[in-house]
Amino acid sequence: MDVTTDAGAPWLIAGLGNPGPEYAMNRHNVGFMVADLLAERMGGRFKRHGKAQAQVVEGRIGPPGPASRRVVLAKPMSYMNLSGGPVNALRDFYKVPVARVVAVHDELDIDYGVLRLKLGGGDNGHNGLKSLTKAMGAEYHRVRCGIGRPPGRMPVADFVLKDFSSVERKELDWFVDRAADAVECLVSEGLERAQSAYNS
């Protein structure tokens, strides 16, 4: 099945992060930031889903007409390391094939501001991806938002739960905007087109 043109199921775009205002600007929450921007572009507001521990927005991405794609935007409210349960519950509810799930997440092994898109693969020590893969297998799309490695000997767990630095924040709006563009391109034009446009 060509997942980009099949007219049936919607796409499920899951921005990964931690709920609560204290986490809002953390590096680990860049997936939530991208989901919020996509919701804004779609003119929707996140609402709690009745069957899953998540907030969702339903809408469409892409140009009006037959080329637009039905999407469900989601922010799991379970904390990062338990993201798989809510995302898989939404996948079941909306009858979404795994290959139509897109996880938007922070990535330590990519420099800050750099994007990489791919289908499938390992979790690279990312607890959100680990949870998703355990819940539904690994063959989902990833939009990987580079945050770089921690400086010096700072533990990874501390680094990802810190807010973006003042220097990083100067580029953050641009970075989130570009990641949202990449998600839209992936859903409406397919992985190869999105990779050639956004894998920097």
Side-chain angles (χ1 to χ4, degrees), residues 131-143:
S131 180
L132 287 184
T133 297
K134 187 176 177 187
M136 62 187 188
E139 290 306 301
Y140 52 91
H141 288 84
R142 298 104 190 275
V143 175

Side-chain angles (χ1 to χ4, degrees), residues 133-169:
T133 297
K134 187 176 177 187
M136 62 187 188
E139 290 306 301
Y140 52 91
H141 288 84
R142 298 104 190 275
V143 175
R144 305 157 73 208
C145 304
I147 60 168
R149 301 292 307 183
R153 298 185 175 192
M154 184 189 291
V156 163
D158 292 347
F159 179 69
V160 298
L161 292 176
K162 282 197 182 316
D163 288 359
F164 284 103
S165 71
S166 55
V167 172
E168 288 168 335
R169 279 200 295 273

